[in-house]
Amino acid sequence: MRRRGRIQFATLCWSIFVAGWSDGTLGPLLLRLQAVYNVGYAVVSLIFIVNAVGFVVGGSTYMYLTERFKYGVMVVLASVIAIVGYAIETSAPPFPAYVIGYLLTGFGMSFLDAGSNAFVASLSEDTSTKMGIMHALYGLGAMCSPLVSTQFARFHRWSFVYFAHIGLTIINIILQLIAFRCKSQEDCLQEIGQPPPEKTKESEAGMNKYKQVFRLRAVHLMAFFILTYVGVEVTLGGWIVTYVIKERHGGANSGYISSGFFGGLTVGRIALLWLNKKVGEWRVIFLYVLICLGLELVVWLVPDLLSGAICVSFVGFFLGPIFPIVMNHAGNVLPPELISGGIGWIASFGSAGAAMFPFITGAIASGTSIASLQPLLIAMMGLLLVVWAFVPRSREGLK
C-alpha cells in the first residue's frame, strides 16, 4: 500500500510539474509573438483569455466527467487533448489557430491541476506537507520552462519549444496509466488503504453534488481569492519580462527574471512549510501578502534593474506558499465528499484570473504603457487581503 501510495503521489507531482512548465513558457515568448504575428499588447493577451476558457470548461466539468468516466480515464484523455494543442502551436500556424491551440492545452492542463489538487487534498496523512511539495514541483516546472523558452525566442524556429511540452506530457500519460490504471479516485484511494469519503446528509437525501458545492459560501470566497491570486502570479510571471525590457532597459537575458520569480515560488513552497505550521495557515496568508505588497512597491518605485530582479524573486518566494495553503484549507473546510468538486471549481476560477488580469494589463498597456503593471499588481494584492478575511477558518464556519 505504501509503495502504491508513493507511485500515485510521484505521478501527481509530475503532472503538476508539467502544468507548471506549460504556464511558465509564455512570458519570454510574448515579445517574439508580437513581432512574428504583428500584434499589440491587447491582441497577444487573447492567448491568456482563450487558455482560460479551456481551463474553465475543464475545471467546471471536472466533477461530472471524472464521476462519469472515472478519474484515471479522464486525466489520460485530458493529457492527449493537451498534446493536440501543443502540436498545433509547434507548427507556428496563423495567429487564430495558434490561439486555438491554447484552448486545448487549457482544457488538458485543467484536469492535471484540479485532479492533482483534489487527490492530494483528499488524502488523510501529511496533506499539508504533500501539498507543499507537489506545488514546489509546479514552481520548478514554471522556473525551468522560461530558461528554455528564452533561448527559443531567439531562434527562427521559436515554436519548436513546444516539442518539449509534448515529450513531458507523453511521459505524464505513461505515469498516469501505471499509477491510476483508468480507475476512479475512490478506487485509487482504497488501494492505499483509505476508505471512501462519508456521504453528506444532502447526498443521502438525493441532492446533486453540483448543487451542494454551489451552495457553499466558502467555495465561492476561495474561488474569488484564487482568481485574484493566480491573476497576480500569471500577470507578474507573464509580463515582468516585457516590463523590465521596456521600463528598466533590460537586455535579451531579461527572460531569466521570470525564472527567478518562479524559482522563488518553488523554494518558498518548501522552505516556508515550518512557518505555515507555526503561525497557522489561515493567518500566515496575511503576512505573506503584506510582504509581497512591500516588495512590489520597491519594484515600482526604485528604478534599478538589479534590485527589481531580486525583489521579484522574493515576491515569488512569499507568494509561492499561498496556493497550496488555499488548496489544503479547502480540503480541511469542505465536506470530504465535496472536496473534488469544490477544488475543481476553485481551480477553474484560478484560470479565469490567469486570463482576465494579464489581458487587462495588456489592454491598459496598449493605451498607456507597460508601466501600469506595478500599480495593478499592488491593487490586486490589496484585494487578496480583503477577500481572505471572509474565508471561514474551519469546517464549523460553513454552518
Side-chain angles (χ1 to χ4, degrees):
M1 285 186 181
R2 287 184 179 275
R3 182 172 177 271
R4 171 57 54 181
R6 285 194 291 268
I7 292 172
Q8 290 178 357
F9 180 63
T11 300
L12 296 172
C13 286
W14 181 262
S15 295
I16 267 307
F17 174 84
V18 172
W21 182 282
S22 182
D23 288 348
T25 300
L26 189 56
L29 291 178
L30 284 173
L31 286 175
R32 181 60 190 270
L33 291 172
Q34 287 180 269
V36 169
Y37 291 113
N38 193 28
V39 294
Y41 290 124
V43 175
V44 80
S45 296
L46 288 173
I47 295 171
F48 296 108
I49 295 288
V50 174
N51 185 243
V53 169
F55 208 110
V56 169
V57 171
S60 57
T61 58
Y62 171 82
M63 183 166 61
Y64 170 77
L65 291 175
T66 51
E67 287 189 356
R68 177 72 176 82
F69 300 107
K70 297 184 179 180
Y71 170 80
V73 173
M74 284 309 304
V75 290
V76 170
L77 179 59
S79 296
V80 171
I81 292 172
I83 287 174
V84 174
Y86 292 137
I88 293 172
E89 293 154 13
T90 301
S91 65
F95 189 70
Y98 178 82
V99 172
I100 291 299
Y102 270 91
L103 178 71
L104 299 177
T105 58
F107 180 86
M109 290 301 111
S110 72
F111 274 78
L112 300 189
D113 193 347
S116 298
N117 282 297
F119 199 103
V120 173
S122 299
L123 297 175
S124 57
E125 295 182 0
D126 299 324
T127 306
S128 178
T129 301
K130 288 177 179 176
M131 192 71 79
I133 292 170
M134 184 177 73
H135 280 281
L137 267 294
Y138 171 92
L140 182 63
M143 178 188 73
C144 293
S145 60
L147 300 176
V148 177
S149 58
T150 295
Q151 296 301 318
F152 273 90
R154 304 169 181 174
F155 298 161
H156 176 66
R157 297 288 188 179
W158 58 270
S159 62
F160 281 12
V161 68
Y162 294 104
F163 277 120
H165 298 62
I166 292 172
L168 293 172
T169 310
I170 288 173
I171 294 171
N172 189 56
I173 290 174
I174 295 169
L175 292 175
Q176 287 167 339
L177 289 171
I178 293 171
F180 305 118
R181 295 175 291 178
C182 298
K183 294 184 177 182
S184 67
Q185 180 174 309
E186 288 74 19
D187 289 341
C188 293
L189 289 171
Q190 286 181 24
E191 285 183 346
I192 60 175
Q194 188 165 316
E198 184 179 333
K199 287 188 175 293
T200 62
K201 293 179 181 178
E202 290 82 358
S203 291
E204 291 175 349
M207 183 183 289
N208 182 282
K209 282 186 180 180
Y210 270 103
K211 190 172 183 180
Q212 293 181 59
V213 168
F214 294 148
R215 287 176 63 188
L216 294 173
R217 174 172 161 268
V219 168
H220 300 298
L221 284 169
M222 285 187 280
F224 189 70
F225 180 89
I226 286 296
L227 177 143
T228 310
Y229 167 84
V230 177
V232 171
E233 181 184 299
V234 176
T235 300
L236 183 54
W239 283 112
I240 191 62
V241 177
T242 304
Y243 176 84
V244 167
I245 291 173
K246 297 292 185 181
E247 298 296 321
R248 298 291 182 260
H249 310 295
N253 292 326
S254 297
Y256 297 129
I257 293 176
S258 181
S259 283
F261 169 71
F262 286 114
L265 207 78
T266 303
V267 175
R269 286 174 173 173
I270 297 293
L272 295 174
L273 279 171
W274 67 274
L275 187 59
N276 301 343
K277 294 176 181 178
K278 188 175 183 64
V279 177
E281 291 190 332
W282 187 85
R283 288 189 296 272
V284 81
I285 282 184
F286 291 104
L287 174 63
Y288 293 154
V289 175
L290 286 170
I291 292 173
C292 290
L293 268 169
L295 290 166
E296 275 303 316
L297 284 169
V298 174
V299 176
W300 181 22
L301 299 176
V302 178
D304 180 69
L305 177 59
L306 180 59
S307 64
I310 293 171
C311 285
V312 166
S313 296
F314 275 103
V315 169
F317 181 78
F318 289 106
L319 205 62
I322 294 177
F323 192 94
I325 286 174
V326 175
M327 293 296 109
N328 191 51
H329 190 69
N332 292 331
V333 169
L334 301 180
E337 190 188 15
L338 303 181
I339 289 174
S340 292
I343 285 181
W345 182 247
I346 292 168
S348 71
F349 262 70
S351 70
M356 182 170 63
F357 290 109
F359 179 77
I360 290 171
T361 302
I364 293 173
S366 292
T368 56
S369 73
I370 195 62
S372 59
L373 173 66
Q374 298 305 326
L376 180 62
L377 287 171
I378 289 167
M380 290 161 65
M381 289 177 183
L383 183 59
L384 288 176
L385 292 172
V386 175
V387 175
W388 190 250
F390 291 95
V391 174
R393 298 191 185 198
S394 64
R395 195 164 287 160
E396 288 72 26
L398 293 175
K399 300 177 182 178

